[in-house]
Amino acid sequence: MMHESGEQQQGGHGSCYDSCYDCRKKCCWFLKKLVVFCFSQIGIVCLVVAYAFLGAAIFETLEEPKEELNRVVVGDLRNKSVKKLWKLNKELFLYEQKNWELAVQEVLLNFQKEIYVAVTEKGWDGRVEDYTGVSDWSFTGALLYSVTVITTIGYGNITPKTTMGRLVTILYAFIGIPLTMICLANVGHVLSISFKLLYRRLICSKKKKESSSASSDSSSKYLVTNQQVIKTETEDSEMVVITEDEGVKETHVPVYVCLLLVIAYILLGTALFSLWESWDPLTAGYFCFITLSTIGFGDVVPGHSLESWASPAKRITCALYLLFGLTLISMCFSLLVDEVQDKTRRFGRWIGLLKREGN
């Protein structure tokens, strides 16, 4: 009996060990798949989006209570100044006007200094203490702030005022900026390849139309298929074949096409922000250029007035405009690098520094 019970205990320990081993094996498999996904193209994009939302939640928690407290403090300063003015009015009512003006100016100057400190050092947003609208450090406002941090735009219209918020910003930017730059580079490279495919198909379609219109000409003959473009010369039997893989690799998008894409995107943002902010087209275009070039002066920022940026949807749209715009800029840079490299090779062959491909 004791021998049988010992065997049962050993069997129980063995089954428990096997289940733990299987569980550990499944966890390792899951972690491996998760790491592979995170380093994929889609995974990096999802990681950046999740990182931006995480930053929005953190900064909203850290900074929004401070923002509400600043409104209460400024409201108390205003009430105290009003009481001082009323007291001066009662005490100096029968005195000369000059003395009354000097006393009132002193009170107003002190209030002016306190307001300046509240705005520059404490981050007061200019709203009253019973404000019920969307604050600067709401979730959407914190999301826009997070995006401007990890993209290195940094408008400076809203900045963390708490000690913890500033420390978290340093750590958040230290991790987020390299992650975002890698994401933009990868996505820009993929988009550049896709745009090359689209541009090459447009060129092939144009050549196909030209070949169909010139098919009656006996000097040359064109054959255009989905996989290749062939041109056969009847006089000297010259034949040029470009397969699709070689065509994509050798396709170079002209510089003016990249410039037109960027200009079109800036014009789209100009129309959008002119409508939302009641800006003139020059100011809106200036803001879009400063944003997409990551200069980010902060002198012109959406929502700088008190009620112009009260919609959360507008803030999310602005964040998306920034991300898509920087991705477009990254794609155009990738296309421009290929074009510049091709021009440099041609120039090197022309001056004799590089050998020609045929040699």
Side-chain angles (χ1 to χ4, degrees):
M1 295 291 293
M2 293 178 63
H3 181 68
E4 292 179 356
S5 63
E7 290 180 351
Q8 291 178 356
Q9 289 179 357
Q10 290 179 358
H13 287 301
S15 61
C16 181
Y17 176 79
D18 292 338
S19 64
C20 291
Y21 177 77
D22 292 339
C23 181
R24 213 166 31 203
K25 188 176 180 181
K26 290 179 180 179
C27 290
C28 292
W29 177 84
F30 176 76
L31 289 176
K32 182 179 178 180
K33 293 293 183 181
L34 181 61
V35 170
V36 171
F37 174 76
C38 289
F39 283 95
S40 64
Q41 299 287 351
I42 300 177
I44 292 178
V45 174
C46 295
L47 198 60
V48 170
V49 173
Y51 194 74
F53 278 97
L54 176 64
I58 293 175
F59 289 116
E60 179 189 17
T61 303
L62 294 176
E63 296 296 328
E64 192 172 26
K66 177 70 174 178
E67 184 181 19
E68 296 175 353
L69 179 62
N70 288 335
R71 294 174 187 166
V72 175
V73 171
V74 172
D76 292 339
L77 291 175
R78 185 180 62 250
N79 293 331
K80 290 180 180 179
S81 299
V82 170
K83 291 179 180 179
K84 289 180 181 179
L85 291 175
W86 176 247
K87 184 178 179 182
L88 288 175
N89 188 53
K90 290 195 302 183
E91 292 178 354
L92 304 176
F93 183 73
L94 299 177
Y95 290 84
E96 296 181 358
Q97 180 180 357
K98 184 177 180 181
N99 295 333
W100 183 87
E101 288 178 352
L102 291 175
V104 171
Q105 283 182 3
E106 183 179 358
V107 174
L108 293 179
L109 284 175
N110 291 332
F111 180 70
Q112 182 178 341
K113 293 177 181 178
E114 292 170 346
I115 290 296
Y116 176 78
V117 172
V119 172
T120 57
E121 297 181 7
K122 298 181 180 180
W124 180 52
D125 55 6
R127 297 183 175 98
V128 295
E129 59 271 19
D130 57 351
Y131 177 73
T132 57
V134 180
S135 63
D136 288 339
W137 287 106
S138 62
F139 182 81
T140 53
L143 177 63
L144 182 59
Y145 170 77
S146 301
V147 171
T148 58
V149 168
I150 61 179
T151 55
T152 69
I153 295 176
Y155 290 133
N157 59 319
I158 56 172
T159 55
K161 299 302 179 183
T162 62
T163 303
M164 184 59 66
R166 290 173 175 175
L167 292 175
V168 170
T169 297
I170 296 174
L171 180 62
Y172 186 78
F174 185 77
I175 300 174
I177 291 175
L179 181 64
T180 306
M181 295 300 106
I182 294 174
C183 176
L184 291 176
N186 290 339
V187 175
H189 179 67
V190 172
L191 289 179
S192 66
I193 296 175
S194 302
F195 190 79
K196 283 183 179 180
L197 280 170
L198 177 62
Y199 182 77
R200 181 176 177 273
R201 290 191 176 183
L202 292 175
I203 296 299
C204 291
S205 176
K206 182 179 178 181
K207 288 183 177 181
K208 185 176 180 180
K209 292 180 180 179
E210 292 177 354
S211 64
S212 62
S213 64
S215 59
S216 60
D217 192 358
S218 60
S219 62
S220 63
K221 181 180 177 182
Y222 293 85
L223 174 62
V224 182
T225 64
N226 291 329
Q227 296 296 327
Q228 58 186 6
V229 179
I230 302 176
K231 178 182 177 181
T232 306
E233 297 290 344
T234 58
E235 295 180 357
D236 53 1
S237 300
E238 178 184 359
M239 184 174 66
V240 178
V241 180
I242 303 176
T243 62
E244 188 163 10
D245 293 336
E246 294 173 352
V248 173
K249 185 177 180 180
E250 297 298 328
T251 300
H252 298 286
V253 180
V255 176
Y256 71 88
V257 175
C258 300
L259 294 178
L260 287 177
L261 286 175
V262 175
I263 291 173
Y265 196 77
I266 290 177
L267 291 177
L268 175 63
T270 300
L272 183 67
F273 292 111
S274 296
L275 179 64
W276 281 352
E277 291 292 313
S278 299
W279 288 343
D280 59 276
L282 179 59
T283 302
Y286 169 79
F287 163 75
C288 293
F289 176 80
I290 292 300
T291 296
L292 296 180
S293 59
T294 67
I295 297 174
F297 286 135
D299 54 342
V300 179
V301 179
H304 190 68
S305 59
L306 295 182
E307 301 298 335
S308 62
W309 204 243
S311 174
K314 292 182 180 180
R315 293 179 176 179
I316 295 176
T317 304
C318 183
L320 292 176
Y321 179 82
L322 302 182
L323 291 176
F324 281 116
L326 292 177
T327 304
L328 178 66
I329 295 294
S330 178
M331 182 196 76
C332 291
F333 270 125
S334 180
L335 295 174
L336 288 175
V337 166
D338 294 339
E339 180 69 9
V340 170
Q341 288 178 349
D342 179 67
K343 298 294 184 184
T344 305
R345 291 192 195 98
R346 292 184 181 182
F347 181 74
R349 295 189 191 101
W350 182 70
I351 63 176
L353 292 178
L354 297 176
K355 293 183 179 179
R356 297 186 180 273
E357 295 179 356
N359 297 328

